Amino acid sequence: LPALRQHAAPRVVNVGSSSHLRAGEVGTANLGRGDLDGRMEAYAESKLGIMQLSTVLRAALPWLGVVDTHPGLVWTPMLKRNAGRMAPVLERTGVWRFFFKEPACAAETVIAAALSPREPPASWGEGSRWAQDWGSQPYFVNGRPGGFASSESRDITAARAMWIDVLLPQIAGDAALATGIREVTEGLNDIDEDSNGKACSAQKLE
């Protein structure tokens, strides 16, 4: 965070996924699992968690631009493992190209999220989804904002609970993160109301 503060318009890009839509909450049951995540349940939770972290950062650090992205379905080693015996067939025939993106193609959305201006292109206009998404919680899909994110990923109460119960216990002892943890914690404690106007400051962080 100290390094980001040195920039006039700092921005963090978190790589999410449409898989977050399959997770209703982030818990601790899947932490440290050593088995193959065949149903990609842990993966879905991790992507919901990263998008909830974005929600936490937006709320606690209003000076920081935070953008979520969904690069698309990418033909990565993880998907190849989950495809099992079909993976070599898909590769040999090239059929995978009809369903998945190459990593370089997927990276275009992440780069767009990092470099695109907040102001919408002239062809889009001030009332466009580009402008509306940037004005709230930007989520880039296919190289542009306006992607569909779950209500759980945008719920500050759920995101705050994830920060307290799941993430903080994992990182609290890391001295390199101490300044950032303190600033985020103080920012969350300063929130008097959640997005629905209800008090959410009852649980103070130590």
Side-chain angles (χ1 to χ4, degrees):
L1 290 183
L4 287 169
R5 280 193 176 277
Q6 297 177 16
H7 293 267
R11 184 182 300 181
V12 169
V13 176
N14 284 328
V15 181
S17 168
S18 60
S19 291
H20 85 276
L21 298 169
R22 299 190 294 108
E25 62 180 359
V26 180
T28 58
N30 285 317
L31 290 177
R33 279 181 53 175
D35 57 319
L36 179 66
D37 187 23
R39 298 178 64 181
M40 299 183 74
E41 295 173 347
Y43 179 79
E45 277 194 36
S46 74
K47 290 305 182 180
L48 174 59
I50 194 67
M51 294 180 70
Q52 287 183 336
L53 174 61
S54 294
T55 296
V56 164
L57 294 177
R58 291 188 192 101
L61 309 173
W63 56 269
L64 179 64
V66 183
V67 185
D68 289 312
T69 66
H70 168 42
L73 293 175
V74 187
W75 191 234
T76 60
M78 180 185 71
L79 280 182
K80 293 176 186 179
R81 287 195 301 271
N82 278 278
R85 290 178 295 178
M86 286 300 298
V89 177
L90 293 173
E91 291 223 298
R92 185 173 63 252
T93 60
V95 171
W96 70 268
R97 298 179 184 276
F98 293 97
F99 303 98
F100 307 102
K101 293 181 178 180
E102 294 184 6
C105 180
E108 293 177 359
T109 290
V110 180
I111 293 171
L115 301 180
S116 293
R118 293 178 62 93
E119 297 74 20
S123 59
W124 284 58
E126 293 299 324
S128 65
R129 290 188 66 184
W130 184 293
Q132 293 173 9
D133 203 43
W134 265 116
S136 55
Q137 296 169 320
Y139 183 31
F140 271 64
V141 177
N142 293 323
R144 61 184 63 183
F148 177 75
S150 71
S151 58
E152 292 86 357
S153 72
R154 300 315 194 206
D155 185 331
I156 184 57
T157 302
R160 182 188 178 101
M162 184 281 299
W163 169 262
I164 298 171
D165 300 331
V166 180
L167 189 54
L168 263 186
Q170 303 299 315
I171 64 174
D174 192 327
L177 300 177
T179 299
I181 292 172
R182 182 172 61 253
E183 188 167 349
V184 172
T185 297
E186 291 173 353
L188 287 177
N189 283 338
D190 287 340
I191 298 173
D192 293 326
E193 297 182 346
D194 64 13
S195 57
N196 296 317
K198 298 178 181 178
C200 70
S201 60
Q203 184 178 9
K204 293 292 184 179
L205 306 181
E206 298 300 333

